[in-house]
């Protein structure tokens, strides 16, 4: 409101929302050192993963990329997130699905297969992967329950 001498007087104070607390920023520690579980330790495993990604980017065809990815999965026990990143470098769902099936037995965290499923484009590929995982999970139980003669 204006007063008699034409100065503004504040009659209401509008209350603003309190600032939202943000999560603390961690300084690249995980990315620099890499995950430390599995049989990989620190930079050695992370550097192998980065060089594998670079090799896959340089490769022209999906078959060559698949061979490079399989070699990495065989030699070091990757996480599901790393397998997902490798799958994203491929063009066709057929080779992505083949890598997902191959790496299921090697990953450190098979319970995180949702990350791998997100890398597939088609629903039919996701269903095939789900069927494969279901068969892998039931197969050991059937073998244990059989009697040996």
């Amino acid at each position: 409101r204006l007063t008699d001498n034409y100065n503004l007087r504040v009659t209401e104070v509008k209350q603003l929302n309190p600032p939202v607390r943000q999560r603390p920023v961690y300084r690249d520690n995980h990315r620099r050192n890499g995950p430390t579980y599995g049989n990989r330790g620190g930079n050695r495993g992370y550097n192998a993963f980065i060089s594998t990604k670079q090799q896959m980017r340089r490769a022209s065809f999906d078959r060559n990329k698949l061979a490079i990815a399989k070699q990495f999965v065989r030699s070091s026990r990757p996480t599901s997130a790393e397998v997902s990143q490798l799958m994203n470098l491929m063009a066709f769902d057929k080779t992505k699905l083949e890598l997902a099936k191959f790496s299921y037995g090697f990953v450190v965290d098979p319970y995180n297969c949702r990350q791998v499923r997100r890398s597939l484009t088609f629903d039919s590929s996701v269903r095939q992967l789900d069927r494969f995982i279901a068969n892998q999970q039931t197969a050991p139980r059937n073998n244990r329950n059989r009697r040996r003669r």
Side-chain angles (χ1 to χ4, degrees):
R1 292 184 181 174
L2 289 175
T3 59
D4 294 333
N5 59 2
Y6 299 104
N7 290 331
L8 288 175
R9 178 186 289 172
V10 178
T11 57
E12 275 181 32
V13 176
K14 192 172 189 179
Q15 190 169 6
L16 300 175
N17 293 333
V20 178
R21 272 189 79 188
Q22 294 183 356
R23 293 182 177 174
V25 177
Y26 298 107
R27 301 279 180 224
D28 256 352
N29 218 6
H30 176 71
R31 200 175 333 153
R32 185 172 47 242
N33 294 332
T36 55
Y37 48 85
N39 63 359
R40 301 173 16 196
N43 283 338
R44 185 177 52 84
Y46 180 69
N47 291 338
F49 175 64
I50 293 300
S51 67
T52 301
K53 281 176 65 173
Q54 289 171 350
Q55 287 176 357
M56 286 179 68
R57 281 192 192 104
R58 283 190 294 248
S60 306
F61 301 107
D62 264 8
R63 283 284 151 200
N64 299 341
K65 292 179 182 183
L66 181 65
I68 293 167
K70 280 185 174 182
Q71 182 181 6
F72 170 74
V73 168
R74 229 181 272 118
S75 64
S76 64
R77 293 182 49 91
T79 62
S80 296
E82 290 173 343
V83 171
S84 175
Q85 287 181 34
L86 295 179
M87 287 170 61
N88 287 334
L89 295 174
M90 296 179 181
F92 299 109
D93 244 24
K94 183 179 177 182
T95 50
K96 288 181 183 183
L97 181 63
E98 190 174 337
L99 177 62
K101 286 180 178 180
F102 176 79
S103 62
Y104 182 75
F106 292 97
V107 291
V108 178
D109 52 349
Y111 48 84
N112 279 338
C113 66
R114 275 192 219 106
Q115 293 178 351
V116 175
R117 290 176 69 213
R118 286 186 199 127
S119 297
L120 295 169
T121 309
F122 300 112
D123 290 337
S124 61
S125 300
V126 172
R127 283 192 300 272
Q128 284 180 355
L129 181 62
D130 287 342
R131 261 186 265 131
F132 174 79
I133 291 172
N135 288 338
Q136 293 297 313
Q137 290 173 348
T138 58
R141 280 189 225 132
N142 292 340
N143 289 337
R144 271 188 281 153
N145 293 336
R146 285 188 194 158
R147 280 191 280 167
R148 294 184 183 194
R149 295 180 186 180

